[in-house]
Amino acid sequence: MSGDRTRIRALLDTYGRTYADEAGIRLKDTPQPLYQLLVLSCLLSARIQAGIAVAASRALSKAGLRDARRMKDATWQQRVDALGEGGYRRYDERTATQLGDGADLLLDKYGGDLRRMRDAADGDTDRLRKLLREVPGLGPAGTDIFLREAQAVWPELAPHLDAKALQGAERAGLPTSPDALLKAAGKAEPAVLAAALVRAALDKKGAEEIRDTK
């Protein structure tokens, strides 16, 4: 166990930052940051570098598109331009359409407030996952990203360590049991731990260095 704790410390020192934090989203249980997290999750779910998705999230926020109403009211070209400013050019046109359609759905079903989606799920994570999957552009990967990050403010989701996070644990020489990981992580926030494990899964060389930590 002492070896696991040492590796967890190295993991968190190297990768211990959520994607929301990297994107400048001050995550709280309020409509705007939750919506920003949803958009970030959509951007991260495409086959594109995480750094570009984060930059695109920042660019959308800079353009004022921080909630569903503003996203809906923006023109398609304004969304394309903001995505392009963030370097998100390969999927910019399709994503601009999906963001508009997603804003429509959220406004129609939940008044633009993801807490109402949370209420509709009534504590059932599988139900919440199905509701999230209704959002255009948010596939299985994006849904997992949202759940991993949202557990920081929706405690009923914690601990959420999905297959990608457990892949990172295996690469870093850590246990692949969520209970064992949480025990070794001590007081680390589950959302931070999950993000760190996913980053390790995406960085094979870095994960191997953590595996070799004594």
Side-chain angles (χ1 to χ4, degrees):
M1 181 59 73
S2 61
D4 291 341
R5 289 194 181 112
T6 299
R7 292 188 186 94
I8 286 280
R9 282 197 298 270
L11 175 87
L12 293 173
D13 286 346
T14 305
Y15 302 114
R17 189 182 189 190
T18 65
Y19 286 103
D21 182 57
E22 186 179 349
I25 301 169
R26 296 182 179 180
L27 195 57
K28 296 185 292 184
D29 189 22
T30 54
Q32 184 169 296
L34 288 170
Y35 178 73
Q36 288 178 285
L37 174 60
L38 184 74
V39 169
L40 174 62
S41 301
C42 289
L43 297 174
L44 284 165
S45 64
R47 294 179 181 273
I48 202 162
Q49 292 180 3
I52 294 176
V54 167
S57 172
R58 285 181 171 274
L60 287 166
S61 293
K62 182 181 177 183
L65 310 183
R66 302 185 190 95
D67 59 49
R69 173 58 61 189
R70 291 178 182 178
M71 187 69 77
K72 173 184 167 60
D73 289 346
T75 66
W76 177 82
Q77 190 61 54
Q78 285 173 326
R79 294 192 291 267
V80 169
D81 290 346
L83 289 166
E85 184 178 334
Y88 203 89
R89 295 187 178 87
R90 184 176 176 186
Y91 303 102
D92 55 351
E93 295 187 355
R94 183 183 71 182
T95 301
T97 299
Q98 290 172 336
L99 289 174
D101 292 343
D104 271 336
L105 180 143
L106 291 173
L107 289 164
D108 288 345
K109 291 191 68 172
Y110 308 108
D113 188 346
L114 282 161
R115 295 175 301 179
R116 295 185 184 178
M117 182 189 288
R118 178 192 187 187
D119 291 342
D122 195 24
D124 185 335
T125 302
D126 288 338
R127 172 65 176 155
L128 179 58
R129 185 187 298 276
K130 289 178 182 178
L131 294 175
L132 286 165
R133 287 290 306 277
E134 293 176 0
V135 177
L138 195 71
T143 300
D144 278 333
I145 293 165
F146 182 87
L147 295 173
R148 284 197 305 262
E149 302 263 326
Q151 68 182 317
V153 291
W154 289 355
E156 72 274 13
L157 297 176
H160 188 82
L161 300 175
D162 56 29
K164 196 68 175 180
L166 297 181
Q167 181 188 52
E170 183 176 12
R171 284 192 169 179
L174 289 162
T176 54
S177 158
D179 287 343
L181 284 167
L182 289 166
K183 186 175 181 180
K187 296 182 179 180
E189 292 184 12
V192 175
L193 174 63
L197 289 168
V198 168
R199 291 177 188 272
L202 298 172
D203 182 7
K204 185 177 180 181
K205 182 178 179 180
E208 288 174 350
E209 290 176 357
I210 291 169
R211 178 190 287 269
D212 294 338
T213 300
K214 303 298 183 182

